[in-house]
């Protein structure tokens, strides 16, 4: 009997995880399919680009500026120990373009835009607005998910590029303006070290992260009424928390896989 209980304790979470993965995969496939069959998807996509992208611009720029400044400061004093301070520009730029840019952008957008879309769709679910769309013969996935999916493929790479550029400027401010490093050396190392493969790596990561964030957050909100731990407004709050945590974990897991591919 004890062995059966142990197997049940192990097997139940595993089966729930498989069920969740299958549900997310089907949800993603339906969202992609509806991109090509939705009517008037362009206007809704532009609206979501504004919400996900433009409204997050100041936050991304501010965080990237301080991130670049910290990288410049830490990198300067670390490289000084090895007599290689001239490589600071390469360290800052490659760290941002290949890793910190796409990852931090995705995590910040998860907290700002992802939580918002989960809460919005979750409220629509518990107030029967999604059911009303289906009754009016308006596909709810086509209306709510597909425009956000397309918008993420536009907004995430653009915000990642802005993060990289502003972060490099932040590193320049620390290294050149504060620590009196030669600005020609700083930019020369960036130009000689960064390759198109590095840039492509960052943009591929941003595209994957954008899909992960939108699908996880929309899925959690769309099925907020099926949660076992809560109902009503509490379910929306728990779905939002679960969406942010799950998306951040998957971002880091996908980052490891993509990094191992590009190295």
């Amino acid at each position: 009997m004890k062995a059966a209980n142990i197997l049940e304790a192990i097997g139940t979470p595993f089966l729930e995880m498989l069920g969740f993965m299958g549900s997310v995969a089907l949800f993603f496939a339906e969202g992609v399919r509806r991109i090509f069959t939705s009517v008037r998807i362009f206007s809704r996509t532009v609206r979501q680009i504004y919400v996900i992208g433009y409204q997050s611009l100041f936050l991304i720029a501010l965080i990237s500026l301080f991130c670049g400044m910290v990288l410049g400061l830490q990198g300067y004093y670390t490289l000084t120990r090895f007599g290689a301070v001239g490589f600071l520009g390469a360290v800052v730029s490659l760290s941002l373009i290949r890793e910190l840019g796409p990852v931090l952008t995705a995590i910040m957008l998860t907290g700002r835009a992802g939580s918002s879309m989960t809460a919005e769709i979750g409220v629509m679910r518990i107030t029967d607005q999604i059911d009303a769309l289906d009754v009016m013969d308006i596909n709810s996935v086509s209306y709510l998910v597909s425009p956000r999916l397309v918008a993420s493929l536009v907004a995430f790479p653009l915000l990642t590029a802005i993060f990289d550029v502003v972060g490099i400027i932040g590193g320049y401010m620390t290294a050149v303006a504060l620590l009196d490093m030669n600005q020609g050396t700083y930019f020369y190392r960036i130009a000689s070290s960064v390759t198109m493969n590095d840039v492509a790596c960052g943009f591929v990561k941003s595209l994957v992260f954008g899909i992960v964030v939108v699908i996880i957050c929309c899925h959690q909100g769309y099925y907020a009424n099926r949660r076992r731990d809560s109902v009503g407004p509490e379910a929306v709050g728990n779905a939002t928390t679960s969406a942010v945590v799950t998306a951040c974990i998957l971002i880091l897991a996908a980052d490891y896989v993509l990094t191992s591919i590009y190295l």
Side-chain angles (χ1 to χ4, degrees), residues 123-178:
V123 169
M124 292 182 68
R125 170 59 77 184
I126 66 171
T127 55
D128 298 326
Q129 295 181 52
I130 293 180
D131 294 331
L133 288 174
D134 294 331
V135 168
M136 292 186 293
D137 198 27
I138 300 174
N139 186 274
S140 54
V141 174
S142 172
Y143 188 83
L144 297 172
V145 180
S146 296
R148 288 178 166 89
L149 189 58
V150 177
S152 72
L153 297 178
V154 177
F156 272 69
L158 289 177
L159 289 176
T160 298
I162 292 171
F163 191 105
D164 295 341
V165 172
V166 176
I168 291 172
I169 294 173
Y172 169 85
M173 291 170 60
T174 299
V176 177
L178 183 63

Side-chain angles (χ1 to χ4, degrees), residues 81-96:
R81 298 179 183 180
F82 303 98
V85 71
F87 288 91
L88 181 60
V91 171
V92 171
S93 59
L94 290 175
S95 298
L96 288 169

Side-chain angles (χ1 to χ4, degrees), residues 1-220:
M1 193 64 180
K2 291 183 178 180
N5 291 337
I6 293 173
L7 289 175
E8 181 181 0
I10 297 174
T12 300
F14 180 73
L15 292 175
E16 289 178 352
M17 183 183 69
L18 287 180
F20 173 76
M21 292 171 60
S23 177
V24 170
L26 292 175
F27 190 74
F28 171 63
E30 179 67 10
V32 172
R33 186 175 73 88
R34 291 291 175 178
I35 291 174
F36 305 101
T37 59
S38 299
V39 179
R40 285 183 285 185
I41 190 175
F42 180 77
S43 59
R44 295 196 296 273
T45 300
V46 172
R47 168 63 182 169
Q48 292 305 319
I49 292 174
Y50 173 79
V51 172
I52 297 172
Y54 180 76
Q55 291 186 346
S56 303
L57 182 59
F58 177 75
L59 174 66
I60 295 299
L62 184 64
I63 292 173
S64 62
L65 180 65
F66 284 110
C67 181
M69 292 174 70
V70 170
L71 273 176
L73 193 62
Q74 292 282 10
Y76 182 87
Y77 286 107
T78 301
L79 293 172
T80 300
R81 298 179 183 180
F82 303 98
V85 71
F87 288 91
L88 181 60
V91 171
V92 171
S93 59
L94 290 175
S95 298
L96 288 169
I97 292 172
R98 290 188 64 94
E99 192 66 31
L100 293 178
V103 171
L104 289 181
T105 299
I107 290 177
M108 290 301 104
L109 288 177
T110 300
R112 192 216 158 273
S115 59
S116 175
M117 67 179 73
T118 303
E120 179 183 346
I121 296 175
V123 169
M124 292 182 68
R125 170 59 77 184
I126 66 171
T127 55
D128 298 326
Q129 295 181 52
I130 293 180
D131 294 331
L133 288 174
D134 294 331
V135 168
M136 292 186 293
D137 198 27
I138 300 174
N139 186 274
S140 54
V141 174
S142 172
Y143 188 83
L144 297 172
V145 180
S146 296
R148 288 178 166 89
L149 189 58
V150 177
S152 72
L153 297 178
V154 177
F156 272 69
L158 289 177
L159 289 176
T160 298
I162 292 171
F163 191 105
D164 295 341
V165 172
V166 176
I168 291 172
I169 294 173
Y172 169 85
M173 291 170 60
T174 299
V176 177
L178 183 63
L179 300 173
D180 293 326
M181 180 181 172
N182 183 275
Q183 64 177 349
T185 303
Y186 182 83
F187 286 114
Y188 170 75
R189 289 300 178 186
I190 294 175
S192 62
S193 301
V194 177
T195 65
M196 284 306 300
N197 184 66
D198 300 319
V199 177
C201 176
F203 280 123
V204 169
K205 285 183 178 181
S206 67
L207 291 172
V208 173
F209 297 161
I211 294 172
V212 167
V213 171
V214 169
I215 292 301
I216 293 297
C217 292
C218 289
H219 179 272
Q220 290 288 336

Side-chain angles (χ1 to χ4, degrees), residues 246-261:
T246 303
C248 289
I249 292 173
L250 290 178
I251 286 169
L252 296 176
D255 179 52
Y256 173 79
V257 174
L258 292 171
T259 300
S260 64
I261 292 173

